[in-house]
Amino acid sequence: VASLTIIGQTTLEELCPRHGIQDGDFLCVTGELGNSFLSEHHLYFEPRLDIGRFLAKGKYPNAMMDISDGLLKDVQRMMKHEKLSLTIELNALPLRQGADTKTALTEGEDYELLFSISQENLERLEKNWDFSETALHIIGKFEASTENKIQDKLGRNLLEIKTGFDHFS
């Protein structure tokens, strides 16, 4: 058995919580998704620390985290305390070479930033995005709902797909 604890510190201006998605927010992701294991991306990736700091300091996102256990599983964690539905535009998913829609939605170890952002802040972000080596993608939109659900544009329930790595299964 091995255990690892990493401790760090930040300032309030560099902090962006995982929760706080608002009705009407867009879901955005940096970089590319899927095929992390076969491409060995999970071994040789560049953490998006500079972009995360930029986003937090600019107060752009309402909620943000990295994708470590798969897009669907991680966005469910972001939605945990809200009553929202999310519609994901499957054609907008940025696929890593060799990836397909399913691996982009379910594989882990992408280590890309996943965040929700209002229309106003998205427009401001697009004007100020200065990370030419890392693409910014709008992949979905949140709406108020009586229950949390994640679907595609045709209304198909995406949670019927195996949703990423589960540490306790």
Side-chain angles (χ1 to χ4, degrees), residues 88-95 101 104-105 137-140 152-154 156 158:
I88 295 179
E89 173 58 59
L90 298 179
N91 292 331
L93 292 174
L95 303 179
T101 300
L105 291 171
H137 305 277
I138 303 163
I139 62 169
D152 67 9
K153 281 179 58 172
L154 300 175
R156 293 180 292 204
L158 295 178

Side-chain angles (χ1 to χ4, degrees), residues 87-114:
T87 301
I88 295 179
E89 173 58 59
L90 298 179
N91 292 331
L93 292 174
L95 303 179
R96 184 172 290 111
Q97 185 174 351
D100 59 24
T101 300
K102 184 176 180 184
T103 63
L105 291 171
T106 62
E107 278 191 359
E109 311 296 320
D110 284 314
Y111 301 113
E112 294 295 345
L113 296 177
L114 182 66

Side-chain angles (χ1 to χ4, degrees), residues 38-55:
L38 291 178
S39 69
E40 295 187 347
H41 172 79
H42 68 296
L43 297 174
Y44 308 102
F45 65 93
E46 184 72 30
R48 304 296 185 201
L49 300 176
D50 291 343
I51 296 173
R53 283 187 197 103
F54 166 80
L55 291 169

